[in-house]
Amino acid sequence: MSDSVSVKICGLRTAADVDAAAAAGARYCGFVFFEKSPRNVSLDLARDLATGTPVGLAKVALVVNPDDSFLDALTDTVPLDMLQLHGKETPGRVAEIKSRYRLPVMKAIGIARAEDLAAIDLYAPACDQLLIDAKPPEGADLPGGNGLAFDWQLLADRKYWTRPWMLAGGLTPDNVAEAVRRTGARQVDVSSGLETSPGQKDSSLFRRFVQNARA
């Protein structure tokens, strides 16, 4: 088994699950700040979770089209290592957030067809990392965490982007090894694929996901 694939477990809502993510070997843990999501956490809960996060587990805040007032409150309250922008932020807005808050920024890009890949080159100069996710269905309430995958073949042999990237979208312990093999991803993100119901993580699956990602 190789540890060269980094894993992000997103949508954590309890201290036990944060500890389980660290024990499983995850590199990142994600906290969701989006009221429509079943994984949404308050600033106070996120502060408590982040403060207790084991050393070596990077703390990522997933936000959707945030304004400065929310980001001010978020960054003043919660000790974070990265901001993940998962809305319709423009490249200019991404660059502005990166400059204002002086935190690494990951921008999510929704993919459904080959032409969607053009957005990757558009956003790459403005951010530190890219999250390549399945584009949500038309009219979906959630910009991510829908348990949907996209055609991984779209990413085959596309390893030339100027920023590190992370694969997301419909990953589970059962398919992550194939996803890594087919895309060449060195980082993967999982949320709904480790849940028994929306927002309820099954920490017994964490270690198997990490092991299979690195198989």
Side-chain angles (χ1 to χ4, degrees), residues 3 27 35 42 47 59 92 94-96 102 106 110 122 126 133-134 140 145 148 150 157 175 184 188 198:
D3 63 359
R27 168 76 189 283
E35 289 185 355
S42 67
R47 177 196 59 217
K59 303 172 290 293
V94 174
E96 179 184 345
R102 301 188 180 279
M106 179 187 296
L122 184 65
D133 199 358
L148 300 175
F150 61 95
D157 300 321
N175 68 12
V188 293

Side-chain angles (χ1 to χ4, degrees), residues 97-175:
I97 290 172
K98 175 177 165 61
S99 175
R100 178 181 174 95
Y101 296 98
R102 301 188 180 279
L103 283 169
V105 171
M106 179 187 296
K107 178 66 181 91
I109 308 292
I111 302 296
R113 298 174 297 275
E115 52 264 36
D116 295 325
L117 296 171
I120 294 172
D121 291 325
L122 184 65
Y123 278 93
C127 63
D128 298 281
Q129 294 204 43
L130 297 153
L131 181 79
I132 312 302
D133 199 358
K135 181 179 284 189
E138 194 70 30
D141 286 335
L142 304 181
N146 293 295
L148 300 175
F150 61 95
D151 182 2
W152 297 323
Q153 199 60 35
L154 293 171
L155 300 185
D157 300 321
R158 294 179 182 268
K159 303 173 186 177
Y160 54 82
W161 293 311
T162 58
R163 293 291 184 271
W165 61 279
M166 184 177 292
L167 179 67
L171 298 178
T172 70
D174 294 326
N175 68 12

Side-chain angles (χ1 to χ4, degrees), residues 21-57:
R27 168 76 189 283
Y28 307 86
C29 65
F31 305 123
V32 174
F33 300 91
F34 185 58
E35 289 185 355
K36 292 183 179 180
S37 172
R39 304 164 191 95
N40 182 56
V41 292
S42 67
L43 294 182
D44 288 343
L45 175 56
R47 177 196 59 217
D48 293 344
L49 294 176
T51 300
T53 296
V55 174
L57 187 62

Side-chain angles (χ1 to χ4, degrees), residues 81-95:
D81 298 301
M82 182 178 289
L83 295 171
Q84 178 181 325
L85 305 180
H86 220 298
K88 296 181 179 179
E89 303 88 4
T90 65
R93 177 60 173 155
V94 174

